[in-house]
Amino acid sequence: PLLVMLTYPERAEATRPALQIASPAPADGRIKLALVGAGGFAQGMHLPNLQKLKDSYDLRTIVSRTGLSARSAAERFGAPNAATDFKTVLDDPDIDLVLIATRHDLHAGMTLDALRAGKHVFVEKPLAMNEDELAEIEAFYRDNPNGPVLMTGFNRRFSPAVVAAKKVLANRTSPMIVNYRMNAGYIPADHWVHGPQGGGRNIGEGCHIYDLFNALTGSTPVEVNAMSIVPESKYWLRNDNFNATVRYADGSVCTLTYTAMGSKSYAKERADIFVDGKVLTLDDYKQLTVAGGSGGWKGTTMQKGQQEELAALAETLRKGAAWPISLEDQIFATRISFEVEKQIAL
């Protein structure tokens, strides 16, 4: 036959039960976690880090778009359950924390659903794609000031190099100037990152650096100015070739140069921090040097803080410590990205 039509009886509600792979192990007081979105980044970064932090985290469920990918990841990383339905996690009273690593356009909605279900949330950046989504998250915490912990995956502030920089900056007496360069590398214009699912590279990745500016200054952003290239073709895009400057209430000025026009053979990220007669140079999260003062750090590999951010979140959830990133800073970083996008889209 050229065509086969399959029909099914009507059901009040279609459900997708979780697939149990093995008998669940005792949690032993660890944070019971569900991962939603088992893509390349989650499997290459978050899941290995959770294994390293197994004394703190108990991975219970992996949710992915297809049952095959969910089950494959669950078997590989030792999760007893796999599922394709996010609601499975929301309805599970044993889940303490939901780690959301889906495509960007799903982040805010899933975050709100999990928070309303009483789950703590770690959501990869961006926290939200637009002002309406961010306003809903703000409204949730206005109505629930003692609600679950929310943490956006702004990992760079937790990197060893940035921790060392903050020690040098702890007793500063002047504002600082921070020049940050992101040699991001070219991604074709038809890639999902640039479309409705990704939101573009300023909102999707630039927010990392705006949060880092918040962390370094420890101050409140008061003014944002941005300017992009004016491309003659559709090959180069405005929102991955721009300068953004943020002025803070303490007088500091932080500038991000974000570009896709450089060579991938050149280092991706560098920051120069000018303050109190010193120059702190952060070189691709491999080392921090301090000219005119003491301190610094050097590693054997690039360390961007992904494992450290999960360790900090565990400290909060297990011991009642302060949030690893304040709600205000998460909102500030996200809102800066919106203002930059507005200015460079002109």
Side-chain angles (χ1 to χ4, degrees), residues 115-152:
L115 292 173
R116 288 165 179 159
K119 312 296 186 185
H120 302 296
V121 174
F122 177 106
V123 58
E124 261 306 328
K125 53 74 191 168
L127 173 60
M129 294 268 282
N130 55 58
E131 186 61 48
D132 289 342
E133 290 179 345
L134 188 61
E136 280 197 80
I137 293 170
E138 286 183 290
F140 173 84
Y141 280 103
R142 277 198 303 271
D143 296 338
N144 303 276
N146 298 314
V149 173
L150 170 62
M151 182 174 179
T152 309

Tab-separated table of all heavy atoms in Angstrom, residues 115-152:
chain	number	residue	atom	x	y	z
A	115	LEU	N	9.120	25.538	39.827
A	115	LEU	CA	9.009	26.334	41.046
A	115	LEU	C	7.604	26.215	41.646
A	115	LEU	O	7.450	26.061	42.865
A	115	LEU	CB	9.332	27.806	40.751
A	115	LEU	CG	10.781	28.135	40.387
A	115	LEU	CD1	10.893	29.596	39.954
A	115	LEU	CD2	11.723	27.869	41.567
A	116	ARG	N	6.600	26.277	40.799
A	116	ARG	CA	5.217	26.172	41.281
A	116	ARG	C	4.918	24.787	41.842
A	116	ARG	O	4.016	24.634	42.666
A	116	ARG	CB	4.257	26.519	40.153
A	116	ARG	CG	4.254	28.014	39.811
A	116	ARG	CD	3.588	28.296	38.479
A	116	ARG	NE	3.561	29.730	38.181
A	116	ARG	CZ	3.413	30.232	36.959
A	116	ARG	NH1	3.281	29.416	35.912
A	116	ARG	NH2	3.421	31.548	36.779
A	117	ALA	N	5.690	23.791	41.389
A	117	ALA	CA	5.536	22.440	41.930
A	117	ALA	C	6.344	22.245	43.209
A	117	ALA	O	6.361	21.148	43.763
A	117	ALA	CB	5.964	21.415	40.886
A	118	GLY	N	7.004	23.309	43.669
A	118	GLY	CA	7.765	23.244	44.912
A	118	GLY	C	9.161	22.689	44.760
A	118	GLY	O	9.800	22.337	45.765
A	119	LYS	N	9.698	22.642	43.514
A	119	LYS	CA	11.033	22.113	43.285
A	119	LYS	C	12.060	23.249	43.239
A	119	LYS	O	11.778	24.325	42.706
A	119	LYS	CB	11.102	21.360	41.951
A	119	LYS	CG	9.988	20.361	41.708
A	119	LYS	CD	9.993	19.218	42.703
A	119	LYS	CE	8.959	18.160	42.327
A	119	LYS	NZ	8.855	17.095	43.352
A	120	HIS	N	13.231	22.997	43.787
A	120	HIS	CA	14.355	23.892	43.536
A	120	HIS	C	14.750	23.737	42.069
A	120	HIS	O	14.561	22.670	41.470
A	120	HIS	CB	15.545	23.553	44.430
A	120	HIS	CG	15.228	23.600	45.897
A	120	HIS	ND1	14.850	24.763	46.539
A	120	HIS	CD2	15.241	22.629	46.851
A	120	HIS	CE1	14.642	24.495	47.826
A	120	HIS	NE2	14.866	23.214	48.029
A	121	VAL	N	15.338	24.808	41.497
A	121	VAL	CA	15.640	24.792	40.062
A	121	VAL	C	17.055	25.271	39.796
A	121	VAL	O	17.472	26.321	40.302
A	121	VAL	CB	14.649	25.685	39.276
A	121	VAL	CG1	15.066	25.779	37.803
A	121	VAL	CG2	13.230	25.135	39.377
A	122	PHE	N	17.788	24.487	39.020
A	122	PHE	CA	19.005	24.957	38.353
A	122	PHE	C	18.669	24.982	36.871
A	122	PHE	O	18.360	23.939	36.283
A	122	PHE	CB	20.170	24.000	38.610
A	122	PHE	CG	21.444	24.388	37.902
A	122	PHE	CD1	22.505	24.939	38.601
A	122	PHE	CD2	21.589	24.206	36.529
A	122	PHE	CE1	23.679	25.301	37.947
A	122	PHE	CE2	22.747	24.571	35.864
A	122	PHE	CZ	23.798	25.115	36.583
A	123	VAL	N	18.720	26.163	36.260
A	123	VAL	CA	18.387	26.285	34.851
A	123	VAL	C	19.588	26.849	34.102
A	123	VAL	O	20.204	27.827	34.542
A	123	VAL	CB	17.134	27.162	34.626
A	123	VAL	CG1	17.310	28.563	35.214
A	123	VAL	CG2	16.774	27.240	33.150
A	124	GLU	N	19.949	26.192	33.017
A	124	GLU	CA	21.025	26.732	32.208
A	124	GLU	C	20.615	28.101	31.667
A	124	GLU	O	19.436	28.406	31.523
A	124	GLU	CB	21.362	25.771	31.059
A	124	GLU	CG	22.558	24.894	31.345
A	124	GLU	CD	23.795	25.676	31.742
A	124	GLU	OE1	23.995	26.816	31.279
A	124	GLU	OE2	24.571	25.157	32.559
A	125	LYS	N	21.629	28.911	31.365
A	125	LYS	CA	21.326	30.226	30.805
A	125	LYS	C	20.774	30.074	29.393
A	125	LYS	O	21.029	29.061	28.736
A	125	LYS	CB	22.572	31.127	30.858
A	125	LYS	CG	23.844	30.518	30.227
A	125	LYS	CD	23.785	30.495	28.732
A	125	LYS	CE	24.855	29.699	28.084
A	125	LYS	NZ	24.603	29.478	26.651
A	126	PRO	N	19.927	31.003	28.938
A	126	PRO	CA	19.432	32.177	29.650
A	126	PRO	C	18.253	31.811	30.550
A	126	PRO	O	17.533	30.847	30.284
A	126	PRO	CB	18.968	33.094	28.521
A	126	PRO	CG	18.514	32.147	27.439
A	126	PRO	CD	19.462	30.974	27.519
A	127	LEU	N	18.071	32.591	31.596
A	127	LEU	CA	16.935	32.383	32.487
A	127	LEU	C	15.620	32.625	31.755
A	127	LEU	O	14.630	31.925	31.988
A	127	LEU	CB	17.065	33.326	33.684
A	127	LEU	CG	15.898	33.393	34.661
A	127	LEU	CD1	15.627	32.030	35.280
A	127	LEU	CD2	16.180	34.430	35.742
A	128	ALA	N	15.600	33.625	30.893
A	128	ALA	CA	14.392	33.986	30.148
A	128	ALA	C	14.801	34.565	28.810
A	128	ALA	O	15.932	35.050	28.642
A	128	ALA	CB	13.554	34.987	30.933
A	129	MET	N	13.872	34.551	27.875
A	129	MET	CA	14.149	35.034	26.517
A	129	MET	C	13.587	36.426	26.255
A	129	MET	O	13.951	37.066	25.275
A	129	MET	CB	13.558	34.060	25.504
A	129	MET	CG	14.210	32.701	25.495
A	129	MET	SD	15.549	32.606	24.325
A	129	MET	CE	14.632	32.405	22.800
A	130	ASN	N	12.684	36.870	27.107
A	130	ASN	CA	12.090	38.180	26.892
A	130	ASN	C	11.588	38.734	28.220
A	130	ASN	O	11.559	38.039	29.242
A	130	ASN	CB	10.954	38.117	25.856
A	130	ASN	CG	9.890	37.106	26.229
A	130	ASN	OD1	9.274	37.187	27.297
A	130	ASN	ND2	9.653	36.138	25.344
A	131	GLU	N	11.171	39.985	28.190
A	131	GLU	CA	10.776	40.681	29.406
A	131	GLU	C	9.544	40.065	30.048
A	131	GLU	O	9.438	40.011	31.280
A	131	GLU	CB	10.514	42.158	29.083
A	131	GLU	CG	10.243	43.026	30.298
A	131	GLU	CD	11.401	43.071	31.278
A	131	GLU	OE1	12.542	43.276	30.851
A	131	GLU	OE2	11.157	42.886	32.497
A	132	ASP	N	8.599	39.589	29.244
A	132	ASP	CA	7.390	38.988	29.810
A	132	ASP	C	7.726	37.740	30.632
A	132	ASP	O	7.185	37.545	31.729
A	132	ASP	CB	6.402	38.635	28.705
A	132	ASP	CG	5.767	39.854	28.060
A	132	ASP	OD1	5.827	40.940	28.681
A	132	ASP	OD2	5.226	39.727	26.946
A	133	GLU	N	8.612	36.898	30.104
A	133	GLU	CA	9.004	35.695	30.838
A	133	GLU	C	9.711	36.057	32.142
A	133	GLU	O	9.451	35.450	33.193
A	133	GLU	CB	9.929	34.836	29.975
A	133	GLU	CG	9.247	34.182	28.789
A	133	GLU	CD	10.192	33.355	27.944
A	133	GLU	OE1	11.425	33.515	28.100
A	133	GLU	OE2	9.707	32.545	27.142
A	134	LEU	N	10.607	37.041	32.070
A	134	LEU	CA	11.331	37.440	33.278
A	134	LEU	C	10.388	38.036	34.314
A	134	LEU	O	10.527	37.786	35.522
A	134	LEU	CB	12.423	38.448	32.910
A	134	LEU	CG	13.399	38.820	34.030
A	134	LEU	CD1	14.166	37.600	34.516
A	134	LEU	CD2	14.368	39.899	33.559
A	135	ALA	N	9.404	38.817	33.856
A	135	ALA	CA	8.438	39.423	34.773
A	135	ALA	C	7.629	38.358	35.508
A	135	ALA	O	7.287	38.529	36.684
A	135	ALA	CB	7.506	40.363	34.009
A	136	GLU	N	7.322	37.235	34.836
A	136	GLU	CA	6.594	36.150	35.501
A	136	GLU	C	7.413	35.527	36.623
A	136	GLU	O	6.881	35.181	37.683
A	136	GLU	CB	6.221	35.072	34.474
A	136	GLU	CG	4.998	35.384	33.641
A	136	GLU	CD	4.470	34.129	32.970
A	136	GLU	OE1	3.770	33.337	33.627
A	136	GLU	OE2	4.772	33.942	31.773
A	137	ILE	N	8.703	35.386	36.390
A	137	ILE	CA	9.574	34.824	37.433
A	137	ILE	C	9.669	35.787	38.606
A	137	ILE	O	9.600	35.387	39.777
A	137	ILE	CB	10.956	34.498	36.850
A	137	ILE	CG1	10.823	33.356	35.834
A	137	ILE	CG2	11.951	34.127	37.949
A	137	ILE	CD1	12.060	33.097	35.015
A	138	GLU	N	9.811	37.074	38.317
A	138	GLU	CA	9.827	38.082	39.382
A	138	GLU	C	8.522	38.048	40.175
A	138	GLU	O	8.527	38.131	41.410
A	138	GLU	CB	10.044	39.468	38.788
A	138	GLU	CG	11.451	39.739	38.309
A	138	GLU	CD	11.596	41.163	37.798
A	138	GLU	OE1	11.028	41.481	36.733
A	138	GLU	OE2	12.267	41.971	38.475
A	139	ALA	N	7.406	37.936	39.470
A	139	ALA	CA	6.106	37.917	40.138
A	139	ALA	C	5.976	36.698	41.040
A	139	ALA	O	5.399	36.786	42.139
A	139	ALA	CB	4.984	37.933	39.099
A	140	PHE	N	6.517	35.559	40.607
A	140	PHE	CA	6.465	34.356	41.443
A	140	PHE	C	7.129	34.615	42.785
A	140	PHE	O	6.583	34.253	43.847
A	140	PHE	CB	7.130	33.177	40.738
A	140	PHE	CG	7.254	31.962	41.617
A	140	PHE	CD1	6.197	31.072	41.744
A	140	PHE	CD2	8.412	31.723	42.358
A	140	PHE	CE1	6.293	29.958	42.585
A	140	PHE	CE2	8.519	30.612	43.193
A	140	PHE	CZ	7.456	29.739	43.307
A	141	TYR	N	8.292	35.247	42.773
A	141	TYR	CA	9.012	35.468	44.029
A	141	TYR	C	8.440	36.625	44.845
A	141	TYR	O	8.609	36.652	46.057
A	141	TYR	CB	10.508	35.650	43.761
A	141	TYR	CG	11.186	34.310	43.561
A	141	TYR	CD1	11.523	33.868	42.289
A	141	TYR	CD2	11.444	33.477	44.636
A	141	TYR	CE1	12.107	32.626	42.104
A	141	TYR	CE2	12.032	32.234	44.466
A	141	TYR	CZ	12.359	31.813	43.197
A	141	TYR	OH	12.934	30.577	43.017
A	142	ARG	N	7.757	37.539	44.193
A	142	ARG	CA	7.032	38.554	44.973
A	142	ARG	C	5.923	37.888	45.772
A	142	ARG	O	5.668	38.233	46.931
A	142	ARG	CB	6.446	39.629	44.055
A	142	ARG	CG	7.421	40.713	43.663
A	142	ARG	CD	6.705	41.942	43.133
A	142	ARG	NE	5.846	41.640	41.988
A	142	ARG	CZ	6.256	41.661	40.721
A	142	ARG	NH1	7.513	41.955	40.442
A	142	ARG	NH2	5.421	41.383	39.733
A	143	ASP	N	5.252	36.927	45.151
A	143	ASP	CA	4.163	36.220	45.827
A	143	ASP	C	4.667	35.117	46.752
A	143	ASP	O	3.939	34.698	47.670
A	143	ASP	CB	3.219	35.600	44.784
A	143	ASP	CG	2.516	36.640	43.937
A	143	ASP	OD1	2.407	37.805	44.387
A	143	ASP	OD2	2.085	36.295	42.817
A	144	ASN	N	5.890	34.650	46.505
A	144	ASN	CA	6.457	33.541	47.292
A	144	ASN	C	7.888	33.888	47.697
A	144	ASN	O	8.855	33.285	47.203
A	144	ASN	CB	6.451	32.250	46.471
A	144	ASN	CG	5.080	31.863	45.977
A	144	ASN	OD1	4.315	31.229	46.694
A	144	ASN	ND2	4.759	32.240	44.738
A	145	PRO	N	8.053	34.874	48.589
A	145	PRO	CA	9.417	35.322	48.936
A	145	PRO	C	10.276	34.238	49.560
A	145	PRO	O	11.506	34.348	49.543
A	145	PRO	CB	9.166	36.479	49.911
A	145	PRO	CG	7.773	36.264	50.427
A	145	PRO	CD	7.023	35.627	49.314
A	146	ASN	N	9.666	33.219	50.121
A	146	ASN	CA	10.423	32.097	50.691
A	146	ASN	C	10.317	30.852	49.815
A	146	ASN	O	10.382	29.724	50.310
A	146	ASN	CB	9.926	31.800	52.106
A	146	ASN	CG	10.139	32.963	53.050
A	146	ASN	OD1	11.208	33.563	53.077
A	146	ASN	ND2	9.105	33.313	53.800
A	147	GLY	N	10.148	31.078	48.515
A	147	GLY	CA	9.981	29.972	47.583
A	147	GLY	C	11.256	29.186	47.371
A	147	GLY	O	12.304	29.466	47.973
A	148	PRO	N	11.195	28.177	46.506
A	148	PRO	CA	12.366	27.333	46.258
A	148	PRO	C	13.550	28.147	45.725
A	148	PRO	O	13.395	29.255	45.215
A	148	PRO	CB	11.859	26.341	45.198
A	148	PRO	CG	10.366	26.375	45.306
A	148	PRO	CD	10.019	27.768	45.728
A	149	VAL	N	14.724	27.550	45.825
A	149	VAL	CA	15.947	28.193	45.336
A	149	VAL	C	15.962	28.139	43.806
A	149	VAL	O	15.646	27.117	43.201
A	149	VAL	CB	17.197	27.495	45.902
A	149	VAL	CG1	18.476	28.046	45.251
A	149	VAL	CG2	17.254	27.644	47.412
A	150	LEU	N	16.336	29.252	43.209
A	150	LEU	CA	16.510	29.342	41.768
A	150	LEU	C	17.950	29.714	41.472
A	150	LEU	O	18.473	30.681	42.034
A	150	LEU	CB	15.570	30.388	41.172
A	150	LEU	CG	15.808	30.765	39.698
A	150	LEU	CD1	15.609	29.564	38.789
A	150	LEU	CD2	14.903	31.922	39.291
A	151	MET	N	18.584	28.957	40.602
A	151	MET	CA	19.959	29.262	40.206
A	151	MET	C	20.092	29.137	38.700
A	151	MET	O	19.803	28.089	38.129
A	151	MET	CB	20.952	28.332	40.881
A	151	MET	CG	22.406	28.637	40.543
A	151	MET	SD	23.517	27.619	41.520
A	151	MET	CE	25.106	28.184	40.900
A	152	THR	N	20.513	30.223	38.052
A	152	THR	CA	20.829	30.200	36.629
A	152	THR	C	22.286	29.774	36.468
A	152	THR	O	23.132	30.125	37.291
A	152	THR	CB	20.605	31.584	36.005
A	152	THR	OG1	19.290	32.057	36.348
A	152	THR	CG2	20.732	31.532	34.493
